[in-house]
């Protein structure tokens, strides 16, 4: 019990030091999401928390990607032809070896949802590449870099676009993280409460962030049966009372995805502990 208390106190003290602004998928509003150019640009802007998503390839590689398939909105075949919507289900990353995944471009077409995004040729990188990029930046500048890593897991996809068990998925990801990053420099987040439960039981030293859209903090506590380090909801459903509730329960609050300076200032005034944004260049804490 004493060791657990020390661990919790250590975790809380370190969390308080994590920079406020998190670059969503690197800086999705400015560069192709979850790409090395996006993560590098975020660091160059002053971001020190890189937020990203991970899935697995057929050969067990941890790939940085929001979807477990090629997204028709911006992905292109190795031939250069655009991926079309009807092809997405056939381009299941969990059924593709990473060498094949890497041949697809995910940046040169840009993204019609983000008009400021720079169109540059790029690919879906390995988690190892992103962590190596961040750690090289840390060694070069002497500035700490943190990582908020989301395991993209859905119960309905078990055994389809991801491993059949949470254990298999989580263990592969965690082994990769530990090759590059110490506990105090990363957060593990997921919408899948089973992932968080497994982490809590197997990796109690890891700080966990419960991702939700509109579910209230009490729902998270009731579902998990323990208190995660962070409650991370869509900003659209977050209220001052919910922030106060979380703080009273010992949870930090980091909403997603806030993209205007005015909204950022509004939630800063409400007392959130961090902000996830596609546009870190708009963040008051940076500019």
């Amino acid at each position: 019990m004493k060791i657990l208390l020390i661990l919790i106190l250590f975790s809380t003290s370190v969390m308080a030091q994590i920079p406020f602004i998190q670059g969503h998928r690197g800086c999705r509003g400015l560069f192709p999401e979850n790409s090395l150019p996006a993560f590098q640009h975020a660091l160059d802007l002053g971001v020190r928390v890189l937020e990203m998503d991970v899935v697995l390839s057929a050969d067990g590689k941890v790939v940085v990607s929001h979807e477990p398939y090629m997204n028709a909105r911006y992905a292109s075949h190795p031939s250069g032809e655009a991926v079309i919507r009807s092809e997405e289900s056939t381009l299941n990353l969990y059924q593709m070896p990473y060498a094949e995944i890497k041949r697809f471009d995910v940046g040169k077409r840009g993204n019609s949802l983000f008009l400021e995004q720079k169109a540059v040729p790029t690919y879906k990188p390995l988690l190892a590449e992103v962590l190596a990029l961040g750690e090289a930046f840390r060694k070069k500048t002497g500035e700490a870099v943190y990582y908020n890593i989301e395991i993209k897991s859905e119960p309905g996809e078990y055994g389809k676009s991801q491993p059949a068990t949470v254990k298999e998925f989580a263990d592969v990801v965690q082994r990769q993280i530990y090759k590059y990053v110490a506990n105090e420099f990363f957060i593990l987040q997921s919408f899948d409460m089973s992932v968080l439960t497994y982490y809590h039981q197997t990796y109690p030293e890891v700080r966990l962030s419960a991702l939700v859209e509109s579910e209230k903090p009490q729902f998270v506590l009731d579902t998990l049966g323990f208190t995660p380090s962070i409650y991370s909801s869509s900003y659209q459903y977050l209220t001052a009372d919910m922030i106060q509730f979380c703080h009273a329960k010992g949870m930090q609050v980091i909403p997603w995805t806030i993209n205007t300076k005015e909204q950022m200032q509004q939630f800063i005034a409400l007392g959130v502990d961090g902000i996830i944004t596609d546009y870190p260049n708009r963040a008051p804490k940076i500019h």
Side-chain angles (χ1 to χ4, degrees):
M1 187 68 178
K2 184 176 181 181
I3 294 175
L4 180 60
L5 179 60
I6 292 172
L7 187 64
I8 292 171
L9 291 172
F10 174 74
S11 174
T12 302
S13 67
V14 173
M15 274 297 295
Q17 300 169 23
I18 286 187
F20 196 83
I21 298 300
Q22 299 193 17
H24 186 233
R25 307 184 201 177
C27 53
R28 180 173 59 159
L30 306 173
F31 275 82
E33 66 176 64
N34 281 322
S35 70
L36 294 179
F39 294 119
Q40 183 61 61
H41 189 67
L43 291 171
D44 292 341
L45 283 173
V47 172
R48 294 297 176 265
V49 187
L50 302 178
E51 193 273 352
M52 67 200 74
D53 315 272
V54 295
V55 301
L56 295 187
S57 66
D59 47 349
K61 303 293 185 182
V62 184
V63 184
V64 179
S65 176
H66 182 260
E67 299 89 15
Y69 56 84
M70 291 294 173
N71 192 319
R73 186 175 296 280
Y74 52 79
S76 301
H77 286 277
S79 64
E81 296 179 3
V83 170
I84 60 176
R85 192 69 65 188
S86 61
E87 294 178 300
E88 288 183 339
S89 62
T90 68
L91 297 172
N92 179 344
L93 304 189
Y94 189 55
Q95 302 300 327
M96 300 167 65
Y98 181 67
E100 183 181 356
I101 293 170
K102 189 174 180 180
R103 295 179 63 215
F104 283 72
D105 182 274
V106 291
K108 68 180 182 182
R109 290 170 52 202
N111 187 323
S112 60
L113 296 180
F114 299 93
L115 299 182
E116 294 178 39
Q117 186 186 105
K118 187 173 181 180
V120 296
T122 191
Y123 62 92
K124 292 183 181 291
L126 294 172
L127 176 61
E129 292 179 277
V130 178
L131 298 180
L133 181 151
E135 292 308 286
F137 183 90
R138 176 184 63 80
K139 291 175 183 177
K140 179 180 178 180
T141 64
E143 298 183 35
V145 177
Y146 300 80
Y147 310 90
N148 189 2
I149 301 169
E150 178 184 349
I151 289 185
K152 295 301 296 185
S153 176
E154 296 182 29
E157 290 298 310
Y158 292 178
K160 299 175 183 177
S161 63
Q162 64 185 80
T165 67
V166 163
K167 170 181 169 53
E168 182 182 353
F169 198 169
D171 287 350
V172 171
V173 172
Q174 195 54 42
R175 283 196 298 269
Q176 192 65 207
I177 294 172
Y178 275 155
K179 287 182 180 180
Y180 293 87
V181 183
N183 282 327
E184 59 264 37
F185 296 106
F186 77 92
I187 300 162
L188 192 290
Q189 61 177 353
S190 187
F191 282 96
D192 188 343
M193 297 295 139
S194 294
V195 169
L196 300 181
T197 298
Y198 177 76
Y199 258 87
H200 179 68
Q201 295 170 345
T202 312
Y203 305 103
E205 71 279 10
V206 173
R207 286 165 299 169
L208 301 176
S209 177
L211 282 169
V212 297
E213 185 165 354
S214 59
E215 292 84 354
K216 294 184 177 181
Q218 188 63 59
F219 168 85
V220 170
L221 296 178
D222 291 343
T223 302
L224 291 177
F226 66 90
T227 303
S229 297
I230 301 164
Y231 170 80
S232 188
S233 73
S234 168
Y235 78 93
Q236 295 172 302
Y237 302 99
L238 187 62
T239 66
D241 287 344
M242 291 163 67
I243 295 169
Q244 292 174 4
F245 176 91
C246 288
H247 288 165
K249 295 292 185 179
M251 288 185 289
Q252 293 192 317
V253 180
I254 302 179
W256 54 271
T257 304
I258 305 179
N259 284 338
T260 71
K261 183 174 289 187
E262 294 72 24
Q263 289 172 331
M264 293 181 199
Q265 291 171 330
Q266 173 190 345
F267 281 93
I268 289 170
L270 289 177
V272 296
D273 302 286
I275 284 172
I276 298 172
T277 179
D278 291 316
Y279 296 94
N281 57 317
R282 300 177 183 175
K285 290 288 183 177
I286 293 179
H287 292 290

